[in-house]
C-alpha cells in the first residue's frame, strides 16, 4: 500500500512539473524586471484555447502582491454573450525574479507555466508561451502594434515551431460596460 501511495505521489508531481516546465528550446528572458512588467497589457495575437475562445478586447493586468507573488487579472469581452468575463489568478516565479518564467494559477493548487521568451527593452511588447507550444501570445502596452512587430512575432514563433497558421488576432474596439 505504501508503494502505491508513493507512485501516485510521484506521478502527480511529474504531472504538475510538466505544466510548469519550459518548452524544448525556448528560454525565458533573463534580467527581468517585474516592476517594469506590471500594469496592463493588451493581447494582440494568440493561439486558440478554450478559456479565451470567442473573446475580443482581451487584456492582462499584473500587480505585485505583498507576499512577492503577482496578481493576474485577465479580462475579455465574450462576443456571443455580449458580456465581459474576468479571471483573477496568482503568479509566482519558478526560479527567481530575474528570470521571466513564472507559474500561474487560476484554480487553486494547479499551476501552468508563463514564459516570457522575448521582451522589448522598453517593456512595450512581449512574446509569451506556456509549458508547450499549444500556447502563444503577443502582448503589447497598446491596443495596436506596428506591422513590423507582428512580422517579428510571427517569424520568431515559426522559428520556435509554433503553428502560426492558427493565430487569432485581437480586435480592441470600444465597448460600453
Amino acid at each position: 500500500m505504501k508503494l502505491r501511495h508513493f507512485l501516485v505521489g510521484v506521478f502527480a508531481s511529474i504531472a504538475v512539473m510538466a505544466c510548469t516546465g519550459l518548452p524544448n528550446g525556448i528560454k525565458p528572458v533573463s534580467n527581468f524586471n517585474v516592476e517594469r512588467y506590471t500594469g496592463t497589457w493588451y493581447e494582440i495575437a494568440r493561439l486558440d484555447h478554450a478559456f479565451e475562445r470567442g473573446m475580443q478586447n482581451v487584456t492582462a493586468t499584473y500587480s505585485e502582491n505583498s507576499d512577492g507573488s503577482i496578481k493576474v487579472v485577465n479580462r475579455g469581452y465574450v462576443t456571443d454573450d455580449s458580456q465581459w468575463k474576468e479571471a483573477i489568478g496568482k503568479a509566482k516565479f519558478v526560479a527567481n525574479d530575474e528570470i521571466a518564467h513564472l507559474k500561474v494559477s487560476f484554480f487553486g493548487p494547479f499551476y501552468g507555466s508563463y514564459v516570457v521568451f522575448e521582451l522589448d527593452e522598453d517593456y512595450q511588447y512581449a512574446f509569451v508561451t506556456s509549458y508547450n507550444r499549444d500556447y502563444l501570445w503577443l502582448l503589447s502596452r497598446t491596443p495596436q502594434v506596428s506591422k513590423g512587430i507582428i512580422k517579428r512575432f510571427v517569424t520568431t514563433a515559426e522559428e520556435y515551431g509554433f503553428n502560426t497558421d492558427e493565430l487569432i488576432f485581437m480586435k480592441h474596439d470600444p465597448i460600453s460596460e
Side-chain angles (χ1 to χ4, degrees):
M1 192 61 123
K2 289 182 183 179
L3 178 62
R4 182 175 173 185
H5 288 284
F6 173 75
L7 290 175
V8 168
V10 168
F11 287 122
S13 296
I14 290 170
V16 169
M17 287 172 47
C19 292
T20 59
L22 295 167
N24 278 346
I26 295 179
K27 294 183 180 177
V29 168
S30 57
N31 298 318
F32 184 70
N33 182 322
V34 69
E35 289 176 10
R36 291 184 70 196
Y37 198 80
T38 56
T40 298
W41 291 83
Y42 294 85
E43 184 176 284
I44 303 301
R46 71 164 184 262
L47 290 177
D48 191 29
H49 43 78
F51 51 91
E52 283 188 85
R53 190 161 291 139
M55 287 186 173
Q56 292 293 334
N57 290 60
V58 176
T59 59
T61 303
Y62 307 101
S63 59
E64 291 185 76
N65 291 320
S66 60
D67 66 358
S69 65
I70 308 299
K71 180 179 180 182
V72 180
V73 179
N74 289 344
R75 189 166 193 261
Y77 188 76
V78 183
T79 54
D80 288 348
D81 297 340
S82 299
Q83 66 179 358
W84 290 95
K85 184 177 172 184
E86 183 174 275
I88 299 173
K90 180 188 277 192
K92 299 177 181 180
F93 287 94
V94 172
N96 66 62
D97 65 1
E98 291 184 4
I99 298 174
H101 179 200
L102 296 93
K103 57 184 184 177
V104 180
S105 177
F106 292 94
F107 313 106
F110 303 104
Y111 284 87
S113 273
Y114 181 96
V115 182
V116 180
F117 64 97
E118 182 162 323
L119 181 61
D120 172 61
E121 67 181 27
D122 295 323
Y123 285 64
Q124 295 303 300
Y125 68 85
F127 302 170
V128 180
T129 188
S130 188
Y131 65 95
N132 67 26
R133 285 174 174 75
D134 292 339
Y135 300 93
L136 179 66
W137 294 271
L138 167 56
L139 303 179
S140 172
R141 292 296 190 174
T142 59
Q144 286 87 31
V145 297
S146 70
K147 289 180 183 178
I149 292 172
I150 290 174
K151 183 177 180 180
R152 179 171 175 77
F153 173 68
V154 171
T155 300
T156 302
E158 286 173 348
E159 289 170 0
Y160 280 117
F162 290 94
N163 183 0
T164 58
D165 292 336
E166 300 294 323
L167 284 171
I168 296 169
F169 290 88
M170 276 299 100
K171 294 177 186 168
H172 286 282
D173 299 323
I175 298 172
S176 60
E177 298 288 324

